[in-house]
Amino acid sequence: MDLPATVLAVRRLSARWPEALLKLVEDKANGPAVIQSLRHEIAGLVEVNPQGGKVSRAAGASPQLESGNWYLPHPMLAPWVEEFLGECSAFPAGAHDDQVDAWSQGAKRLLQVKSRPPAVPERPSYVYRSDGIDRSWMI
């Protein structure tokens, strides 16, 4: 894809998936130009420099996939799933591998995120009511 087509694709995907707060853009080819073109228009564009080759990146994420820790929507709900699975099953010898590479980089990013326990709101030591009844248990 050339720069104008890539910028248009990023705009379309960002509009279609507004809840995606992070958009990883490879620091290769036209990635830096895409970020520079859209940085004031679309939030969450982050430049990444992938380490290793596509095969090694996929190998790093595949144990999670093989152990059943990844779920995909049914192909009737998301038609892209069949194409994605076909690309995964043909990898690395298939004609296309961009979706596998994007998945492996996203998987690596997700696996690096440490989960945090939910925040427990601080409970006030007392709640003042004009009638003098302690209702702090209601909070």
Side-chain angles (χ1 to χ4, degrees), residues 34-45:
V34 169
I35 291 176
Q36 189 165 7
S37 298
L38 296 174
R39 69 177 170 205
H40 297 296
E41 179 183 337
I42 298 174
L45 296 171

Side-chain angles (χ1 to χ4, degrees), residues 54 80-88 91 96-106:
K54 291 181 181 186
W80 58 265
V81 169
E82 286 188 16
E83 183 182 335
F84 175 68
L85 291 175
E87 190 174 302
C88 287
F91 185 80
H96 304 286
D97 59 11
D98 288 338
Q99 291 184 88
V100 175
D101 193 36
W103 166 77
S104 68
Q105 290 186 56

Side-chain angles (χ1 to χ4, degrees), residues 7-86:
V7 167
L8 182 60
V10 171
R11 282 184 178 131
R12 285 182 178 163
L13 287 170
S14 296
R16 180 170 178 169
W17 304 102
E19 64 276 5
L21 303 177
L22 176 68
K23 294 104 178 157
L24 302 178
V25 181
E26 274 193 31
D27 185 18
K28 306 276 185 208
N30 60 10
V34 169
I35 291 176
Q36 189 165 7
S37 298
L38 296 174
R39 69 177 170 205
H40 297 296
E41 179 183 337
I42 298 174
L45 296 171
V46 175
E47 208 170 285
V48 293
N49 190 2
Q51 302 298 313
K54 291 181 181 186
V55 174
S56 65
R57 289 193 296 270
S62 65
Q64 290 291 318
L65 181 66
E66 291 172 19
S67 63
N69 293 332
W70 287 90
Y71 299 93
L72 295 172
H74 192 280
M76 289 181 69
L77 299 174
W80 58 265
V81 169
E82 286 188 16
E83 183 182 335
F84 175 68
L85 291 175

